Amino acid sequence: MVNWKIEENGFDEEKATGLGNKFLTGNGYMGIRGTLEEFKREQFPAINLSGIYDQVGNGWREPLNAPNGLFTRILAAGEEYALPEKECLSHKMTLDFRHGIFHRETAFQTVKGKVLLETQRFASMDEKHLICLKVKITPSFDGSLEVLTGIDGDVWDINGPHYDKVETGTEEEVICALGITHENKDEVVVCESFDAAFAAEEVTESAGRKIVRHLKLTVKAGEEYTFYKYISVYTSKDLQGYKEEAKALAVQAKSKGYESLYAKHCSKWEEVWNVSEVLIEGDDEAMESLNYSLYHLHSIAPRHSKSLSIAARGLSGQTYKGAVFWDTEMFMLDFFLFTEPEVAKTLLKYRIDTLEGAKKKAKGYGFNGAFYAWESQEGGFDACSDYNVTDVFTGRPMRTYFKDKQIHISAAVAYGIMRYVQFTGKDDLLKEGGAEVIIECAKFYYSLLVKRVNKDCYELWDVIGPDEYHERVNNNAYTNRMAKLTFDSAVNILENYTEQDSVLYKELYNKFKDAAEHLYIPSPDKETGVIEQFDGYEQLEEVTVSEVKSRLLHEKEYWGGAYGVASHTKVIKQADVVTMVNLFSGEYDKDTLYKNWAYYEPRTEHGSSLSACMYSMLACKCDMAEKAYPFFIKSAKADLVDGGKQWAGLIYIGGTHPAASGGAYMTAVEGFGGLHIENGTLKAESKLPDGWSKLSFKVYYLGELHQVTITKEEARVEKIN
Amino acid sequence: MVNWKIEENGFDEEKATGLGNKFLTGNGYMGIRGTLEEFKREQFPAINLSGIYDQVGNGWREPLNAPNGLFTRILAAGEEYALPEKECLSHKMTLDFRHGIFHRETAFQTVKGKVLLETQRFASMDEKHLICLKVKITPSFDGSLEVLTGIDGDVWDINGPHYDKVETGTEEEVICALGITHENKDEVVVCESFDAAFAAEEVTESAGRKIVRHLKLTVKAGEEYTFYKYISVYTSKDLQGYKEEAKALAVQAKSKGYESLYAKHCSKWEEVWNVSEVLIEGDDEAMESLNYSLYHLHSIAPRHSKSLSIAARGLSGQTYKGAVFWDTEMFMLDFFLFTEPEVAKTLLKYRIDTLEGAKKKAKGYGFNGAFYAWESQEGGFDACSDYNVTDVFTGRPMRTYFKDKQIHISAAVAYGIMRYVQFTGKDDLLKEGGAEVIIECAKFYYSLLVKRVNKDCYELWDVIGPDEYHERVNNNAYTNRMAKLTFDSAVNILENYTEQDSVLYKELYNKFKDAAEHLYIPSPDKETGVIEQFDGYEQLEEVTVSEVKSRLLHEKEYWGGAYGVASHTKVIKQADVVTMVNLFSGEYDKDTLYKNWAYYEPRTEHGSSLSACMYSMLACKCDMAEKAYPFFIKSAKADLVDGGKQWAGLIYIGGTHPAASGGAYMTAVEGFGGLHIENGTLKAESKLPDGWSKLSFKVYYLGELHQVTITKEEARVEKIN
């Protein structure tokens, strides 16, 4: 039996930040960290918003956290009972990850006697601007209690404060807080209506950035005192009249009532699970971890928008600048493409709509076409710094080249678009700008091609591949192959979607065809079968990962860069050649796939959450399900277990890992399930690991939903009528 | 009146190492550091040998120091009186740099009374294997004295010991020490004969690596006790029978006698000065400094060989691995070409004879042709390490790219050969392999050329120019222009020295012509006139040299590399674009020359002794003799003043600076004297600085000696019949 709940018993302040990620709820518009209602900024609570950013001074530009409408504290005899400041008698948190319901239950010993505080909350899947919170207080004494509940505009920021000011106010029954951002004077408005099932003296108090209702109630031992808050969140970027909308939504929600909203929310979740749930018979742990991963993907899917992507740390906070990386196209896209193609389209439309930013970036470096942002924010602005790492020995910023040399990002975009075309069979995205994006990405790579005068091929020099520990290398196999894919795609576009007498066609067709044909793709070594990761990799020092690690003089020093402990060795950060041969596995025989897996795996640190799934998928393709399994579990549990990096020096870098979640999904369906397209037909193949007796899931292919059922004996793909 | 002597009064142990360079004597075969006869290895005495190297373990490969035949100490009452162990009453050292005569005079207060010790020595210019030493002892008391004098085989080594063993012995009247090297079992033999003008009891003693004559003499107050040593030095690489030769030379020298040998030595020096002396009327300091520089060049000129070059620190020790850099061709060659063309030929023959090493190096990196060693030892072996700098913060070696990216070295060789052809008017060197070298260098650059597919020119990427603080740049202007010079030279060779129906011609002519025409040479900016040092230099941080210096966290940290304080700024180590426009000044108008001088000078650290002369020469070409003057003085006094870097951490890096000496010469004759070739005719131009009323010197041009005389009013070049 799979349990769709996770639970945490007891309170440990040290763990609270990590649990903020693990117990996240969200609906794509916003993510609510799994933190407690009484938390102040020091404990990193956040209602993290998608697609809106702010920069203060020289700090990193990062997404906004809305004023915190969940804020609630109870008082007895004038004293606040709140974690972590007070000790508690007991504490339990649960997350129903089938329906995105957060619940907590805490008992405090007050001076007057025991009080049990319970809350339940959800970010509505039905109404993306709405958060519903239910608070139940059960005292074990007769007497009086107080409650403070309202909106805390003094939000947690990593590089803030992002609100130059926060205005608070009351309009009729609704209290509001309006934050005005520093950079663009964007506005974030939070309104909340309140409904109590008990009588209480109520005063609204505002001070600084906070506005609260101050309730004083007379209580009886053993009775339950329940109230509800309907919290609406809008920004000035959402629509005109956002302030009125916010107020109206808070009022309207109250009139609908909590139970009704809860039911609608749950039924929306059931709708998504109806298509996306993955059943694994024989391995509850795997099924639970995998679906927990899918829960996270669902919680951050931008269903409220037609053009928005997903940040590398989802909606779990401001880490990684809330920026969109290649993670979306290369690791998350398949899940949406297979289960909710319209979300996949939304993700890709974001790239289409940020083409201008990509063109500007390319031009800035003297190239043609579109060079997509390594860390993309609105408009395709590249939030990536030229100095991404601090030298722990000198405290100086180190020049890094992620932004300017990790050129494989544009190919990831082209790959995503073509994958959408392949799986949907539709050309809507191409017509809506996707074709132009691919042509522009091809133009970009074309302008980067170099040819040694005495060689007959084109090369790509001075790049960084997926393995970021080796900077400024020539002919990274992955990058070159992805650039070729881009040229091939552009040729395809020109052949099939462009008039052959158009200027565009005439100008570009032969160039791209020539580039696709002559771009150098490192091939497997004749003796070893191994593909060299980049020119000269084979000459690097042969040394184990643990030996490299033992050379660290400081636990936080960067392994890469010009002089890092890994830089001049064969030790790599993450799957690189393995990513390439996995993506293009059809071009290599199984022996070659295996040889590259076997060669690179022991040389990989897996220092990125993007690494394990690629090794896992490739292991499946090499018929090594047992070797694949631990990597699969690692991906699927990326947000379930502690151990992800939470801090880089004094900077919080924790958060959820949606790329790992997407990777776990891909491993399940494309790895163990062997899902692939063969001559235009969707096929599956049984590559199940030992304990799995059956794997089944639904996927969309060419607009139609298919049931895929895999047992040890067979793999069936059937259209669902 | 110019004084051809330098003098040092008093003894300061701190200064002794630096004075070892300043008071150097030498004859091209060997250099004798200006250290004292009593010094042991701790004080860095050395008889440094040219062209013979050894490596022990993982230490740097470096040249050999011969067993020290100068070793001499005096004793009174059994106690040694020697610097720096004992204090002295007075001490004076002089160097006659007209004739390469070292002299010292030291008074000790012994327990028995005062003793004056005087020595005079020279490395014979007439017989390159011979050192003559005269020792005079004048006691101020009656009684007994002892002298220890012989050969100390326990030599100073930086990365030694280079002798696995040192055998000592006596044959007839000669004592000998034979050192056997570690790497190749080469042998270095030192023999010395002894001649005393007084009677003494004499015992030969040997212990460990030392063999000495132990003299006991009875002395009278005020009398002089003089003896002579004739020290021969040979190596097994010199000729067969080197041991017998060494013994015979020591015996023969004794029979000729000190005065006779002294006279011959001096007359050889007069011969070289007869052509090379530069007369400056009105500025004795300049004339003295400049001729002192020329003294150093003469002292290390390999006149004993037909194929040998000069190390970057001459024969002053083992620093810089005794390796040959671009310094020889670009900074020292002109002096020899103008005053002693046969030495210039010897230097260039070294490059011809190390072509195989250069081809091997190119092949090792996957290139064609000849990639000369950045730090060349015998056979063209590149002694340069991939890790040339130590990170002061971590103690780790830092990957540097001098060896693999400083590709301009091959062009320096081609430049040197063509300059020889131009100034001698002879094709002997071309026929003796020079033509082949140039073709191979052109092949090398050809194999490095890259072409962006959408540009119509060739480029050179990922190089280091003369300014080593900026690594791995594209299109370094100097490098590209020097590569073009190589292609032009190769075309010239093919046109004039090759059959047009030969395979070589057909295969290469069009390629090189095309390369020379289409290689991208950064041109002066239309508005500012400034030539960009490399792609993207203009985007670097604009900051002063002193600001960059103030950012150092450790005085010894490296300014360059990936993260050095200068690396991401416009601050450069040494003349780079200025070297280029100075070499190719005829291709730019005077305004452009000036604008580049004015732009780059304030951005230059002058952290290399190769920098000042280029700024000085270019200033002359811009008619700014007054701005040129301080740079000229800096070059000319590079070895006269203290202040050159003597230590890098715990590693001794001091030594003489022959490139600065050569640069001072070039500045005098080509800068202030405006010497140049115009349509095949040697011309001069008066660019004299204020204080100079007349500058005159002799130069060879097309095999004939010319007298050049420059005053404020005129510049005359006359053939000397």
Side-chain angles (χ1 to χ4, degrees):
Chain A
M1 247 317 270
V2 166
N3 186 5
W4 287 83
K5 272 209 177 82
I6 55 168
E7 202 174 287
E8 177 77 17
N9 275 289
F11 181 79
D12 177 353
E13 191 177 351
E14 296 279 300
K15 290 172 76 180
T17 307
L19 295 174
N21 306 312
K22 187 171 173 180
F23 284 77
L24 186 99
T25 49
N27 61 15
Y29 178 80
M30 56 192 161
I32 307 173
R33 286 173 55 79
T35 47
L36 303 180
E37 289 75 11
E38 60 267 46
F39 279 1
K40 294 186 179 170
R41 52 180 306 160
E42 291 74 18
Q43 286 80 41
F44 302 180
I47 296 171
N48 187 242
L49 302 177
S50 62
I52 184 167
Y53 301 85
D54 184 70
Q55 184 175 27
V56 181
N58 289 322
W60 279 349
R61 206 157 173 280
E62 62 193 13
L64 295 177
N65 292 329
N68 176 16
L70 297 170
F71 183 74
T72 301
R73 290 187 157 212
I74 53 172
L75 295 82
E79 202 167 328
E80 294 186 1
Y81 288 88
L83 292 170
E85 301 145 43
K86 282 275 191 298
E87 286 195 0
C88 60
L89 296 170
S90 65
H91 177 69
K92 191 169 104 174
M93 275 163 56
T94 57
L95 174 70
D96 165 1
F97 64 79
R98 179 91 184 169
H99 305 110
I101 310 285
F102 174 94
H103 179 267
R104 62 84 64 96
E105 210 178 301
T106 312
F108 289 105
Q109 181 65 52
T110 75
V111 288
K112 294 195 173 179
K114 222 166 90 177
V115 177
L116 183 67
L117 170 68
E118 285 174 87
T119 70
Q120 188 186 58
R121 71 190 190 217
F122 58 91
S124 174
M125 211 51 155
D126 183 50
E127 170 47 76
K128 301 297 162 55
H129 295 276
L130 185 66
I131 302 168
C132 298
L133 171 70
K134 174 179 170 181
V135 179
K136 189 163 80 185
I137 301 164
T138 315
S140 64
F141 55 86
D142 290 352
S144 64
L145 267 180
E146 289 169 80
V147 174
L148 293 175
T149 187
I151 309 169
D152 182 3
D154 190 20
V155 300
W156 166 48
D157 279 323
I158 296 180
N159 295 287
H162 291 295
Y163 299 122
D164 275 354
K165 61 177 174 180
V166 178
E167 291 167 1
T168 60
T170 311
E171 293 197 42
E172 295 155 37
E173 57 184 323
V174 170
I175 60 171
C176 300
L178 175 81
I180 300 162
T181 66
H182 178 79
E183 188 182 3
N184 298 318
K185 312 303 166 203
D186 291 326
E187 296 186 353
V188 178
V189 59
V190 174
C191 293
E192 66 176 51
S193 57
F194 174 83
D195 197 5
F198 53 84
E201 186 187 322
E202 182 186 328
V203 183
T204 301
E205 298 169 350
S206 65
R209 297 186 159 207
K210 195 180 285 175
I211 180 165
V212 294
R213 296 172 208 266
H214 189 159
L215 311 177
K216 291 180 183 175
L217 52 157
T218 307
V219 297
K220 284 206 170 141
E223 299 248 321
E224 292 178 347
Y225 298 84
T226 302
F227 65 85
Y228 304 91
K229 303 215 300 180
Y230 306 95
I231 306 152
S232 62
V233 183
Y234 275 88
T235 80
S236 50
K237 302 188 78 173
D238 290 332
L239 75 176
Q240 285 215 311
Y242 53 95
K243 289 183 201 171
E244 291 68 30
E245 287 289 330
K247 210 186 336 158
L249 178 58
V251 171
Q252 185 195 57
K254 179 179 171 179
S255 76
K256 287 185 179 166
Y258 188 85
E259 296 310 324
S260 150
L261 295 166
Y262 180 91
K264 274 211 162 165
H265 167 75
C266 289
S267 97
K268 282 283 176 187
W269 268 103
E270 286 301 328
E271 269 177 43
V272 302
W273 287 120
N274 183 41
V275 177
S276 62
E277 183 178 352
V278 178
L279 293 163
I280 301 172
E281 287 183 14
D283 190 345
D284 287 352
E285 184 195 1
M287 178 167 163
E288 190 170 308
S289 310
L290 176 59
N291 285 285
Y292 173 79
S293 295
L294 307 188
Y295 161 75
H296 273 292
L297 290 168
H298 282 309
S299 299
I300 55 178
R303 297 186 180 86
H304 63 288
S305 173
K306 289 282 171 215
S307 169
L308 192 62
S309 192
I310 297 176
R313 290 292 171 265
L315 291 169
S316 62
Q318 292 166 322
T319 53
Y320 284 68
K321 305 168 195 159
V324 178
F325 288 64
W326 68 314
D327 302 34
T328 309
E329 283 76 12
M330 303 308 294
F331 296 84
M332 303 177 212
L333 185 71
D334 278 9
F335 172 64
F336 295 111
L337 199 49
F338 292 0
T339 64
E340 224 173 329
E342 54 283 24
V343 173
K345 184 172 175 182
T346 297
L347 299 175
L348 295 165
K349 279 285 275 182
Y350 168 80
R351 296 298 194 178
I352 292 172
D353 292 343
T354 54
L355 177 61
E356 282 316 306
K359 285 166 83 169
K360 202 169 149 188
K361 179 176 170 184
K363 201 174 171 188
Y365 288 114
F367 301 121
N368 299 334
F371 184 6
Y372 274 90
W374 183 244
E375 302 182 5
S376 187
Q377 295 181 340
E378 331 95 289
F381 170 78
D382 199 334
C384 188
S385 157
D386 282 342
Y387 295 84
N388 259 8
V389 174
T390 298
D391 184 327
V392 295
F393 302 107
T394 62
R396 290 181 184 138
M398 284 164 77
R399 178 70 164 90
T400 44
Y401 297 90
F402 308 135
K403 183 180 181 181
D404 40 344
K405 307 288 181 194
Q406 221 151 350
I407 60 165
H408 63 79
I409 178 65
S410 288
V413 174
Y415 170 83
I417 292 170
M418 295 310 289
R419 200 150 170 90
Y420 176 89
V421 173
Q422 186 185 27
F423 275 83
T424 62
K426 286 160 59 180
D427 62 5
D428 57 332
L429 194 64
L430 291 178
K431 285 181 177 158
E432 291 167 39
E436 189 186 350
V437 164
I438 287 167
I439 300 294
E440 293 299 327
C441 290
K443 276 191 201 168
F444 168 62
Y445 289 114
Y446 195 80
S447 71
L448 281 165
L449 293 182
V450 298
K451 189 186 160 300
R452 296 176 196 261
V453 291
N454 60 354
K455 279 204 177 167
D456 256 348
C457 59
Y458 301 130
E459 307 186 20
L460 287 167
W461 284 18
D462 199 8
V463 307
I464 303 180
D467 159 34
E468 292 172 332
Y469 289 165
H470 295 90
E471 286 180 352
R472 309 194 61 187
V473 302
N474 294 349
N475 295 314
N476 169 251
Y478 172 83
T479 302
N480 286 24
R481 184 61 190 84
M482 289 298 284
K484 174 173 159 51
L485 172 135
T486 308
F487 289 126
D488 285 331
S489 304
V491 166
N492 178 349
I493 298 288
L494 288 171
E495 275 174 350
N496 297 301
Y497 301 92
T498 320
E499 295 296 322
Q500 299 209 3
D501 55 359
S502 70
V503 175
L504 190 70
Y505 185 93
K506 285 184 188 157
E507 202 182 293
L508 301 175
Y509 183 79
N510 288 331
K511 284 184 181 175
F512 292 164
K513 212 165 163 59
D514 173 54
E517 268 167 32
H518 294 105
L519 179 55
Y520 166 64
I521 310 294
S523 47
D525 181 83
K526 285 205 176 66
E527 279 185 26
T528 66
V530 173
I531 295 167
E532 195 177 26
Q533 187 174 305
F534 52 80
D535 291 354
Y537 174 86
E538 267 310 314
Q539 270 86 63
L540 297 177
E541 189 192 1
E542 186 70 86
V543 57
T544 64
V545 176
S546 62
E547 163 67 17
V548 159
K549 194 167 183 179
S550 75
R551 293 176 183 174
L552 290 172
L553 297 177
H554 185 299
E555 57 165 344
K556 294 210 172 80
E557 72 168 290
Y558 185 50
W559 288 38
Y563 313 115
V565 288
S567 308
H568 301 284
T569 75
K570 287 186 186 171
V571 168
I572 64 176
K573 183 181 177 192
Q574 67 198 84
D576 194 307
V577 167
V578 161
T579 301
M580 173 204 178
V581 298
N582 181 55
L583 287 177
F584 302 94
S585 56
E587 298 173 7
Y588 303 96
D589 58 36
K590 207 173 272 183
D591 183 52
T592 301
L593 297 182
Y594 171 73
K595 282 173 169 164
N596 281 279
W597 192 98
Y599 182 83
Y600 283 107
E601 201 289 315
R603 291 166 175 85
T604 305
E605 183 213 1
H606 299 295
S608 158
S609 59
L610 311 184
S611 193
C613 65
M614 290 296 166
Y615 278 96
S616 194
M617 276 188 278
L618 189 61
C620 290
K621 290 177 188 173
C622 299
D623 300 323
M624 305 189 297
E626 304 322 312
K627 289 217 189 278
Y629 189 78
F631 288 110
F632 163 74
I633 288 293
K634 188 178 174 187
S635 292
K637 290 198 167 181
D639 294 322
L640 263 183
V641 295
D642 296 334
K645 287 182 194 167
Q646 295 275 320
W647 296 91
L650 295 173
I651 300 173
Y652 182 63
I653 60 156
T656 58
H657 300 81
S661 300
Y665 176 79
M666 288 196 285
T667 304
V669 307
E670 299 170 56
F672 299 126
L675 193 75
H676 65 285
I677 298 172
E678 213 175 292
N679 302 321
T681 305
L682 194 65
K683 295 260 170 108
E685 227 178 313
S686 177
K687 307 264 186 180
L688 299 187
D690 268 355
W692 297 18
S693 54
K694 188 168 145 190
L695 168 69
S696 70
F697 51 87
K698 296 178 187 143
V699 293
Y700 279 102
Y701 178 59
L702 304 181
E704 294 183 291
L705 197 59
H706 293 68
Q707 175 68 49
V708 183
T709 314
I710 296 137
T711 61
K712 296 280 187 202
E713 293 73 33
E714 60 167 353
R716 267 184 298 135
V717 179
E718 297 156 305
K719 240 181 248 182
I720 297 173
N721 295 316
Chain B
M1 243 323 266
V2 166
N3 186 4
W4 287 83
K5 272 210 176 82
I6 56 169
E7 202 175 287
E8 178 77 17
N9 275 290
F11 181 79
D12 175 353
E13 192 177 351
E14 296 280 299
K15 290 173 77 179
T17 307
L19 295 174
N21 304 313
K22 188 171 172 178
F23 284 77
L24 186 100
T25 49
N27 61 16
Y29 178 79
M30 56 191 158
I32 307 172
R33 286 175 56 76
T35 46
L36 304 180
E37 289 76 10
E38 61 265 48
F39 279 2
K40 295 186 180 170
R41 51 181 304 159
E42 291 74 17
Q43 286 79 43
F44 302 178
I47 295 169
N48 186 244
L49 302 177
S50 62
I52 183 165
Y53 300 85
D54 184 68
Q55 184 175 26
V56 181
N58 290 320
W60 280 347
R61 205 157 176 282
E62 60 193 13
L64 296 177
N65 292 328
N68 176 16
L70 296 170
F71 183 75
T72 301
R73 292 187 155 211
I74 52 173
L75 294 84
E79 201 167 330
E80 292 187 5
Y81 288 87
L83 291 171
E85 301 145 42
K86 281 276 191 299
E87 285 193 4
C88 61
L89 295 170
S90 66
H91 177 68
K92 192 169 102 172
M93 275 163 58
T94 57
L95 174 70
D96 165 0
F97 63 79
R98 179 93 186 169
H99 305 109
I101 309 286
F102 174 94
H103 179 266
R104 62 84 64 97
E105 209 178 303
T106 311
F108 290 104
Q109 181 66 51
T110 75
V111 288
K112 296 194 169 179
K114 222 165 88 175
V115 176
L116 183 66
L117 170 68
E118 283 173 90
T119 71
Q120 188 186 58
R121 71 190 191 218
F122 58 91
S124 173
M125 211 47 153
D126 183 49
E127 170 46 76
K128 299 299 160 59
H129 295 276
L130 185 66
I131 302 167
C132 299
L133 170 71
K134 173 179 171 181
V135 179
K136 189 163 79 183
I137 299 165
T138 315
S140 63
F141 55 87
D142 290 354
S144 64
L145 266 181
E146 289 169 81
V147 174
L148 293 175
T149 188
I151 309 170
D152 181 3
D154 189 19
V155 300
W156 167 48
D157 278 324
I158 295 180
N159 294 288
H162 290 295
Y163 299 122
D164 274 354
K165 59 178 176 179
V166 177
E167 292 167 1
T168 59
T170 312
E171 293 198 41
E172 292 155 38
E173 56 185 325
V174 170
I175 62 171
C176 300
L178 175 81
I180 300 161
T181 68
H182 178 78
E183 189 183 3
N184 298 318
K185 314 300 165 203
D186 290 326
E187 297 186 352
V188 178
V189 59
V190 174
C191 293
E192 67 176 52
S193 57
F194 174 84
D195 197 4
F198 54 84
E201 183 186 322
E202 183 186 326
V203 183
T204 300
E205 297 170 349
S206 65
R209 298 186 159 208
K210 196 180 285 174
I211 180 163
V212 293
R213 297 173 206 266
H214 189 159
L215 313 175
K216 292 181 184 175
L217 51 158
T218 307
V219 297
K220 286 205 168 141
E223 298 247 322
E224 292 177 350
Y225 297 87
T226 302
F227 65 86
Y228 304 91
K229 303 218 298 182
Y230 306 96
I231 305 154
S232 62
V233 182
Y234 275 88
T235 82
S236 50
K237 302 189 77 173
D238 291 330
L239 76 176
Q240 287 216 313
Y242 52 96
K243 291 182 199 171
E244 292 67 32
E245 286 290 329
K247 209 185 336 162
L249 177 58
V251 171
Q252 183 196 61
K254 178 179 172 178
S255 77
K256 287 185 179 166
Y258 188 84
E259 295 311 324
S260 150
L261 295 165
Y262 182 92
K264 273 213 164 163
H265 166 75
C266 290
S267 98
K268 282 283 174 184
W269 269 102
E270 286 300 331
E271 268 177 43
V272 302
W273 287 120
N274 183 42
V275 176
S276 62
E277 182 179 355
V278 178
L279 293 164
I280 301 172
E281 287 183 13
D283 188 346
D284 286 353
E285 182 195 1
M287 178 166 162
E288 191 170 307
S289 310
L290 175 59
N291 285 286
Y292 173 77
S293 294
L294 306 188
Y295 161 74
H296 273 291
L297 291 169
H298 281 308
S299 299
I300 56 179
R303 296 186 181 86
H304 63 289
S305 174
K306 290 283 172 215
S307 169
L308 192 61
S309 192
I310 297 176
R313 291 292 171 266
L315 292 170
S316 61
Q318 291 166 322
T319 55
Y320 284 69
K321 305 166 197 161
V324 178
F325 289 65
W326 69 314
D327 302 34
T328 308
E329 283 77 12
M330 302 309 294
F331 297 84
M332 303 177 210
L333 184 71
D334 278 9
F335 172 65
F336 295 112
L337 199 48
F338 293 180
T339 63
E340 222 171 331
E342 56 281 26
V343 172
K345 185 172 175 182
T346 297
L347 300 176
L348 294 166
K349 279 286 274 181
Y350 168 79
R351 296 298 193 177
I352 293 172
D353 292 342
T354 54
L355 176 61
E356 281 316 305
K359 285 166 84 168
K360 202 169 150 188
K361 179 176 171 185
K363 200 174 171 191
Y365 288 114
F367 301 121
N368 299 334
F371 184 6
Y372 275 90
W374 182 245
E375 302 183 4
S376 188
Q377 294 181 341
E378 333 94 292
F381 170 79
D382 199 334
C384 188
S385 158
D386 281 342
Y387 296 84
N388 259 7
V389 174
T390 299
D391 183 327
V392 294
F393 301 107
T394 62
R396 290 182 185 137
M398 285 163 77
R399 177 69 163 91
T400 44
Y401 297 90
F402 309 136
K403 183 181 180 181
D404 39 345
K405 306 290 179 192
Q406 222 152 347
I407 60 166
H408 63 78
I409 178 65
S410 287
V413 174
Y415 170 85
I417 292 171
M418 293 312 289
R419 202 153 168 88
Y420 175 90
V421 174
Q422 185 185 30
F423 274 83
T424 62
K426 285 161 57 180
D427 62 3
D428 57 333
L429 194 64
L430 291 178
K431 286 182 177 159
E432 291 167 38
E436 189 187 349
V437 163
I438 286 167
I439 299 294
E440 293 299 328
C441 289
K443 277 191 202 168
F444 168 62
Y445 289 115
Y446 194 79
S447 71
L448 281 165
L449 292 183
V450 297
K451 188 184 160 303
R452 296 176 197 260
V453 289
N454 61 353
K455 279 203 178 170
D456 256 350
C457 59
Y458 300 130
E459 307 186 20
L460 287 168
W461 285 17
D462 199 8
V463 307
I464 303 181
D467 159 35
E468 291 172 334
Y469 288 165
H470 296 89
E471 284 181 353
R472 309 193 62 187
V473 301
N474 294 349
N475 293 316
N476 170 252
Y478 173 82
T479 302
N480 285 24
R481 184 61 191 85
M482 289 298 285
K484 175 174 157 53
L485 173 135
T486 308
F487 289 126
D488 284 331
S489 304
V491 166
N492 177 349
I493 298 288
L494 288 171
E495 275 173 349
N496 298 302
Y497 300 92
T498 320
E499 295 297 322
Q500 299 211 2
D501 56 359
S502 71
V503 175
L504 190 70
Y505 184 94
K506 284 183 187 161
E507 201 182 294
L508 300 174
Y509 183 79
N510 288 330
K511 285 184 180 176
F512 291 165
K513 209 163 166 60
D514 174 53
E517 267 165 34
H518 293 105
L519 179 54
Y520 166 63
I521 309 294
S523 48
D525 180 83
K526 286 207 173 64
E527 278 184 27
T528 64
V530 173
I531 295 168
E532 195 176 25
Q533 189 174 305
F534 52 80
D535 291 353
Y537 174 86
E538 267 310 316
Q539 270 86 62
L540 297 176
E541 188 191 2
E542 185 69 88
V543 57
T544 63
V545 175
S546 61
E547 164 65 18
V548 159
K549 195 168 183 177
S550 76
R551 292 177 184 174
L552 291 172
L553 297 176
H554 186 297
E555 59 166 342
K556 295 212 171 85
E557 70 170 291
Y558 184 50
W559 288 38
Y563 312 115
V565 287
S567 307
H568 301 283
T569 76
K570 289 187 184 170
V571 169
I572 63 176
K573 184 180 176 192
Q574 67 198 84
D576 193 308
V577 168
V578 161
T579 301
M580 172 203 178
V581 298
N582 181 56
L583 286 176
F584 301 95
S585 57
E587 297 173 6
Y588 302 97
D589 58 36
K590 207 174 269 184
D591 184 51
T592 301
L593 298 181
Y594 171 73
K595 281 173 170 165
N596 281 281
W597 192 97
Y599 182 84
Y600 284 107
E601 199 288 314
R603 291 169 176 82
T604 306
E605 185 213 1
H606 299 295
S608 157
S609 61
L610 311 184
S611 193
C613 65
M614 288 297 165
Y615 278 96
S616 193
M617 274 189 277
L618 189 61
C620 290
K621 290 177 187 170
C622 299
D623 300 321
M624 305 189 298
E626 302 323 311
K627 289 217 189 278
Y629 188 79
F631 288 110
F632 163 74
I633 288 293
K634 189 177 172 186
S635 292
K637 290 196 167 181
D639 293 322
L640 263 182
V641 295
D642 295 334
K645 288 181 193 168
Q646 295 276 321
W647 295 90
L650 294 173
I651 300 175
Y652 182 63
I653 59 158
T656 57
H657 299 82
S661 300
Y665 176 80
M666 287 197 285
T667 303
V669 308
E670 298 171 55
F672 299 126
L675 193 75
H676 66 284
I677 298 172
E678 213 172 291
N679 302 321
T681 306
L682 194 65
K683 294 262 170 106
E685 228 179 312
S686 175
K687 307 264 187 181
L688 299 187
D690 270 357
W692 296 17
S693 54
K694 188 167 146 189
L695 168 68
S696 69
F697 51 87
K698 295 177 188 144
V699 293
Y700 278 101
Y701 178 57
L702 304 181
E704 293 182 293
L705 197 57
H706 293 68
Q707 173 69 48
V708 183
T709 314
I710 296 138
T711 61
K712 295 281 187 203
E713 293 73 32
E714 62 166 353
R716 268 184 296 134
V717 179
E718 297 158 305
K719 240 181 249 180
I720 297 172
N721 295 318

